[in-house]
């Protein structure tokens, strides 16, 4: 996909939906949009069937603003809540089978590099904690070991929200859930540590309490994945249904969890840091 | 009937915080009118989660957003009807 493919063939405007015309004419293409401009440009995310007040939706919305080139991006997801919104974006979405998201992304990214030598194409995997840390675990780890150049974003709601509240590897010890009535008996998996051990170039952990930060972390992760190596973002996106959080309190909960055990953390390799610095220098030089 | 967010534009236009537009989980639901310098709600997209109310009250401390019954609102803005056309907004949406 590219912007050329999206623009409407002259004469066909009257057959296109309002939403599509708005997106092409007033969408975020061409120039990187800022979080502070939200509400005054048409977003790539459309209406979607996710629950009211879902923190995951907020995170996905901010991610879409953070993407450096939405017209040159392909999303990969799997079963879970996130795909309900991800499929409603104007970005191509591949529905991987449960467990193989990162394997699909590996092949896709390699193929795109061969096919489009002059244009960077970004591949972003966005799936839940179950899809990446439990069922897709081996594919995730091996994509990191092989240093595949794409971004993996974990929407960590700490539960299997879509299937009625089973515990996942990322659920906190002792958490009581509908399908874990005795409380979870084991610790939350340390995906940040595993990513570090596997040599992931850029690792970040965050909550959607700071929109500008979410967008900038996503942008950094995607840029580093283009040139340096695998990147990983682990985001706390609470399930207000399974954890019974009243919707007006969703962000209070996120702030609370952030202060207790999910503080913003960024682990960046030397090579990735040098690359980011080189981008900044190039940008400054361009301005002058 | 159901509640939707409603922004008091007299209060909102005095500030330039734009926080509700960033924290709303729904895309293009709280829109920002650059000419009138105020946010407003596309009521057909609002799911009534009240996150914006908390943001406006606690974070921004402007107290400009209230939840109001959809039937008590007049001349509401619906994105599905009017489309995303910022040049036509210019302060005429309640």
């Amino acid at each position: 996909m590219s912007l050329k493919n999206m623009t409407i063939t002259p004469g066909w405007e009257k057959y296109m939906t309002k939403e599509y015309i708005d997106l092409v004419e007033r969408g975020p293409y061409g120039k990187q949009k800022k979080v502070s401009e939200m509400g005054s440009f048409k977003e790539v995310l459309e209406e979607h069937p996710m629950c009211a007040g879902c923190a995951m939706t907020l995170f996905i919305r901010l991610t879409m603003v953070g993407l450096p080139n939405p017209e040159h991006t392909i999303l990969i997801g799997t079963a879970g809540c996130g795909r309900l919104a991800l499929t409603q974006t104007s970005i191509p979405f591949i529905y991987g089978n449960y467990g193989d998201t990162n394997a699909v992304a590996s092949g896709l990214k390699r193929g795109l590099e061969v096919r489009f030598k002059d244009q960077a194409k970004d591949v972003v995997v966005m799936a839940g904690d179950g899809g990446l840390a439990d069922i897709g675990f081996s594919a995730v780890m091996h994509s990191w070991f092989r240093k595949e150049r794409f971004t993996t974003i974990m929407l960590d709601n700490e539960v299997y929200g879509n299937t009625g509240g089973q515990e996942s590897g990322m659920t906190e010890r002792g958490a009581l859930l509908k399908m874990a009535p005795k409380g979870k008996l084991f610790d939350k998996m340390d995906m940040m540590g595993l990513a570090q051990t596997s040599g992931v170039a850029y690792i970040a952990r965050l909550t959607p309490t700071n929109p500008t930060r979410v967008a900038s972390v996503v942008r950094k992760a995607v840029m580093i994945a283009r040139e340096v190596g695998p990147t990983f973002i682990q985001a706390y996106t609470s399930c207000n249904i399974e954890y019974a959080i009243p919707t007006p309190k969703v962000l209070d909960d996120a702030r609370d969890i952030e202060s207790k055990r999910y503080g913003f953390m960024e682990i960046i390799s030397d090579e990735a840091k040098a690359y980011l610095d080189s981008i900044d220098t190039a940008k400054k030089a361009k301005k002058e | 009937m159901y509640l939707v967010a409603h922004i008091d534009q007299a209060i909102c236009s005095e500030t330039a915080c734009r926080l509700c537009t960033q924290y709303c989980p729904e895309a293009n639901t709280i829109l920002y009118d650059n000419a009138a310098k105020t946010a407003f709600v596309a009521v057909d997209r609002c799911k009534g989660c009240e996150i914006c109310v908390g943001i406006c009250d606690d974070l921004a401390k402007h107290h400009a957003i209230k939840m109001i019954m959809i039937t008590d609102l007049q001349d509401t803005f619906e994105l599905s009807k009017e489309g995303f056309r910022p040049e036509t907004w210019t302060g005429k949406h309640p």
Side-chain angles (χ1 to χ4, degrees):
Chain A
M1 183 120 136
S2 74
L3 201 51
K4 206 175 139 203
N5 294 0
M6 288 193 67
T7 40
I8 303 162
T9 311
W12 290 79
E13 290 87 351
K14 60 182 172 185
Y15 301 110
M16 304 305 288
T17 60
K18 249 201 268 33
E19 288 77 7
Y20 192 87
I21 296 169
D22 288 344
L23 182 71
V24 175
E25 290 176 3
R26 300 166 193 91
Y29 304 110
K31 193 171 173 284
Q32 179 79 58
K33 292 286 182 191
K34 294 191 194 102
V35 168
S36 58
E37 292 174 275
M38 286 169 92
S40 48
F41 65 90
K42 177 79 179 168
E43 292 169 42
V44 296
L45 182 62
E46 254 301 322
E47 274 186 300
H48 52 72
M50 286 179 75
C51 307
C54 175
M56 190 185 287
T57 323
L58 172 58
F59 184 83
I60 291 172
R61 181 178 174 228
L62 295 167
T63 305
M64 295 305 140
V65 178
L67 291 176
N69 286 96
E71 68 274 30
H72 293 296
T73 304
I74 296 181
L75 292 169
I76 295 171
T78 186
C81 295
R83 62 110 173 45
L84 296 170
L86 293 172
T87 46
Q88 308 303 321
T89 61
S90 64
I91 299 175
F93 175 82
I94 296 175
Y95 194 114
N97 286 319
Y98 233 155
D100 72 2
T101 48
N102 282 41
V104 170
S106 306
L108 183 66
K109 177 70 189 190
R110 289 184 193 192
L112 289 169
E113 278 177 356
V114 173
R115 171 69 179 80
F116 300 97
K117 284 199 168 61
D118 307 325
Q119 174 63 54
K121 298 275 177 184
D122 303 319
V123 174
V124 179
V125 174
M126 267 180 116
D129 48 322
L132 294 177
D134 293 353
I135 306 166
F137 185 67
S138 76
V140 170
M141 293 305 290
H142 279 276
S143 74
W144 290 347
F145 294 145
R146 292 194 307 268
K147 305 280 180 284
E148 300 286 356
R149 289 205 289 268
F150 62 85
T151 308
T152 308
I153 301 179
M154 182 194 281
L155 303 161
D156 180 14
N157 58 2
E158 307 191 317
V159 65
Y160 283 86
N162 224 273
T163 49
Q166 292 82 1
E167 67 178 49
S168 83
M170 298 299 283
T171 304
E172 274 286 290
R173 179 191 273 268
L176 284 172
L177 295 160
K178 273 186 228 151
M179 299 285 177
K182 287 182 171 174
K184 192 186 170 195
L185 300 174
F186 314 101
D187 283 331
K188 184 183 173 88
M189 283 168 72
D190 179 16
M191 284 301 278
M192 299 286 288
L194 288 165
Q196 212 178 346
T197 312
S198 335
V200 173
Y202 178 82
I203 310 162
R205 180 181 74 183
L206 77 176
T207 64
T209 51
N210 183 340
T212 313
R213 186 193 277 158
V214 175
S216 97
V217 162
V218 170
R219 203 168 304 149
K220 276 191 255 180
V222 173
M223 293 305 283
I224 292 171
R226 266 184 205 172
E227 293 292 329
V228 185
T231 55
F232 175 59
I233 300 172
Q234 183 185 319
Y236 176 73
T237 54
S238 62
C239 178
N240 55 331
I241 304 294
E242 294 303 333
Y243 280 89
I245 308 163
T247 54
K249 302 276 172 218
V250 162
L251 279 170
D252 293 341
D253 165 75
R255 269 188 286 271
D256 183 44
I257 299 288
E258 185 179 30
S259 65
K260 281 183 188 148
R261 60 181 171 85
Y262 225 105
F264 176 58
M265 198 160 108
E266 211 174 24
I267 304 167
I268 177 162
S269 75
D270 294 337
E271 200 188 339
K273 199 161 177 19
Y275 174 66
L276 283 185
D277 290 344
S278 75
I279 296 179
D280 282 347
T281 332
K283 227 184 236 169
K284 267 181 206 157
K286 215 179 180 184
K287 262 185 199 166
E288 283 161 10
Chain B
M1 280 306 107
Y2 55 96
L3 294 163
V4 290
H6 179 71
I7 299 173
D8 186 331
Q9 300 200 347
I11 305 175
C12 188
S13 57
E14 294 291 306
T15 74
C17 81
R18 287 168 161 256
L19 285 180
C20 54
T21 63
Q22 302 168 18
Y23 281 97
C24 175
E26 300 300 313
N28 288 137
T29 298
I30 302 186
L31 302 162
Y32 198 84
D33 181 346
N34 282 315
K37 294 202 179 344
T38 177
F40 64 99
V41 178
V43 292
D44 56 336
R45 290 198 166 200
C46 178
K47 288 181 181 170
C49 69
E50 288 189 54
I51 285 182
C52 55
V53 178
I55 292 294
C56 198
D57 287 355
D58 305 335
L59 208 66
K61 305 211 181 333
H62 293 141
H63 309 282
I65 311 181
K66 301 268 176 301
M67 298 306 288
I68 293 183
M69 273 295 162
I70 183 84
T71 42
D72 294 344
L73 289 172
Q74 269 131 33
D75 304 324
T76 51
F77 177 81
E78 289 180 41
L79 198 68
S80 57
K81 275 189 195 153
E82 306 197 24
F84 190 89
R85 306 283 147 89
E87 64 279 6
T88 65
W89 295 344
T90 55
K92 61 176 190 190
H93 296 293

